[in-house]
Amino acid sequence: MADEALFQFLHNEVIQYIYKSSEHGEMENGRCITKLENMGFRVGQGLIERFTKDTARFKDELDVMKFICKDFWTSVFKKQIDNLRTNHQGIYVLQDNKFRLLTQLSAGKQYLEHAPKYLAFTCGLVRGGLSNLGVKSIVTAEVSVMPACKFQVMIQKM
Amino acid sequence: MADEALFQFLHNEVIQYIYKSSEHGEMENGRCITKLENMGFRVGQGLIERFTKDTARFKDELDVMKFICKDFWTSVFKKQIDNLRTNHQGIYVLQDNKFRLLTQLSAGKQYLEHAPKYLAFTCGLVRGGLSNLGVKSIVTAEVSVMPACKFQVMIQKM
């Protein structure tokens, strides 16, 4: 619980700090999101390196995605992804019915517009993790009803 | 281990981000340190609220300091403070012989000049924690041999 809180509070501070800088006219919303995403990317790269130090080689892309949904997600968010779907053509949808970084927000529609800034870091986290496993991707997120959340991973064939 | 890494990587990103902004001439070193310290302060406030939810009331100032050195430090840094000293006049010195946020740096003298930016957040963390326990303080840190580190807490009598 302590660790969760530490990460969560620091994550909040980072969001606030970046958005506060943007108020001074230094950058607009899109650039804030990009900054957060990039931070997540580098953290994801670092984490996956630690997590996979002693794991066996992955069989295929799906195997990698399962690792992200189970081990990686559990380490970071203390629960697994609730549902993983794929069209078998390089698109994966990871659904988390109770996404930890959204549970602190009120569940109504009122704060729905603020959701993207709480998701950007995690999109980067997934992209960075995948990247270090040799899977290039684009990761986006959407929320329809808080605190549930879907991350869409589009694999970029190289 | 996973949680440690998550916090540590994010902490590094925050430092880098803040110092990168400063390169653009937006602020100098002192202001970066202040920003990091303030972030730590707010995170410390939040954490102590969670941690002390179910603890008994503290007897006195020393009791509060012991809590910071043991429970608080263990939650955040996975180890206790190694040595707590006081002059019984409002100054406390907390020594950590292997401070987690410094262990990633080379132990030589080469990077000693970079130590302050890895300590500022934690100074704020302690100050914020103490503040929410009703103890107003000034917290500074010094490193002589990495990764050992001393935090000096000067209680501000109100």
Side-chain angles (χ1 to χ4, degrees), chain A residues 13 24 35-36 50 73 76 90 114 130 133 137 145 153-154:
Chain A
E13 283 301 317
H24 301 293
K35 295 247 177 205
L36 286 167
R50 297 254 180 130
W73 215 259
V76 178
H114 292 288
L130 287 173
L133 295 175
S137 65
V145 183
V153 180
M154 287 165 59

Side-chain angles (χ1 to χ4, degrees), chain A residues 1-11 13-14 16-18 21 26-27 35 38-39 42-43 46-47 50-51 53 75-76 78 100 121 125, chain B residues 1-11 13-14 16-18 21 26-27 35 38-39 42-43 46-47 50-51 53 75-76 78 100 121 125:
Chain A
M1 191 202 74
D3 286 309
E4 283 187 63
L6 180 62
F7 165 62
Q8 207 161 309
F9 288 138
L10 182 53
H11 182 260
E13 283 301 317
V14 173
Q16 271 185 32
Y17 178 74
I18 290 182
S21 320
E26 285 157 35
M27 52 185 168
K35 295 247 177 205
N38 283 336
M39 272 196 186
R42 284 183 301 267
V43 173
L47 286 180
R50 297 254 180 130
F51 293 170
K53 206 160 52 85
S75 300
V76 178
K78 313 297 160 210
R100 200 177 120 201
F121 180 85
L125 210 62
Chain B
M1 190 202 74
D3 286 308
E4 283 188 63
L6 180 62
F7 165 61
Q8 206 161 309
F9 288 138
L10 183 53
H11 181 260
E13 283 301 317
V14 173
Q16 270 185 33
Y17 178 74
I18 290 183
S21 319
E26 286 156 32
M27 52 186 171
K35 295 247 175 204
N38 284 335
M39 272 196 185
R42 287 184 299 268
V43 173
L47 285 180
R50 297 256 178 127
F51 294 170
K53 205 161 50 87
S75 300
V76 178
K78 313 298 161 210
R100 199 177 120 201
F121 180 84
L125 210 62

Side-chain angles (χ1 to χ4, degrees), chain B residues 6 11 23 26 48 50 54 59-60 66 70 74 77 91 95 98 105 111 113 124 126-127 131 136 142 144 154:
Chain B
L6 180 62
H11 181 260
E23 268 174 32
E26 286 156 32
I48 209 78
R50 297 256 178 127
D54 303 313
K59 274 203 315 260
D60 51 21
K66 282 182 182 165
K70 286 186 183 171
T74 306
F77 301 113
I91 293 185
Q95 186 171 329
K98 205 179 162 190
L105 298 182
Y111 296 109
E113 57 172 320
V126 174
R127 189 169 66 87
S131 162
K136 213 181 152 194
E142 63 169 78
S144 43
M154 287 166 60

Side-chain angles (χ1 to χ4, degrees), chain A residues 26-157:
Chain A
E26 285 157 35
M27 52 185 168
E28 70 288 5
N29 185 46
R31 277 192 61 201
C32 293
I33 296 285
T34 307
K35 295 247 177 205
L36 286 167
E37 212 267 351
N38 283 336
M39 272 196 186
F41 181 80
R42 284 183 301 267
V43 173
Q45 284 188 310
L47 286 180
I48 210 79
E49 223 165 81
R50 297 254 180 130
F51 293 170
T52 55
K53 206 160 52 85
D54 303 313
T55 56
R57 201 184 174 121
F58 295 107
K59 274 204 315 261
D60 52 21
E61 201 179 88
L62 185 62
D63 206 25
V64 169
M65 291 307 300
K66 282 182 182 165
F67 180 81
I68 296 285
C69 293
K70 287 187 185 172
D71 304 64
F72 188 75
W73 215 259
T74 306
S75 300
V76 178
F77 300 114
K78 313 297 160 210
K79 69 184 285 296
Q80 296 185 11
I81 280 288
D82 295 296
N83 189 11
L84 168 66
R85 274 180 302 170
T86 177
N87 68 351
H88 297 288
Q89 290 180 4
I91 294 184
Y92 295 85
V93 178
L94 288 65
Q95 186 172 330
D96 188 333
N97 294 330
K98 205 178 164 192
F99 183 54
R100 200 177 120 201
L101 297 176
L102 288 179
T103 49
Q104 52 188 336
L105 299 182
S106 165
K109 289 201 166 171
Q110 197 181 355
Y111 296 108
L112 209 53
E113 56 172 320
H114 292 288
K117 57 182 154 188
Y118 289 90
L119 302 173
F121 180 85
T122 305
C123 287
L125 210 62
V126 174
R127 190 169 66 87
L130 287 173
S131 162
N132 261 27
L133 295 175
V135 179
K136 212 180 153 196
S137 65
I138 294 173
V139 181
T140 54
E142 63 171 79
V143 178
S144 44
V145 183
M146 298 235 245
C149 174
K150 279 180 192 167
F151 294 90
Q152 180 173 296
V153 180
M154 287 165 59
I155 308 294
Q156 307 293 98
K157 293 291 172 209

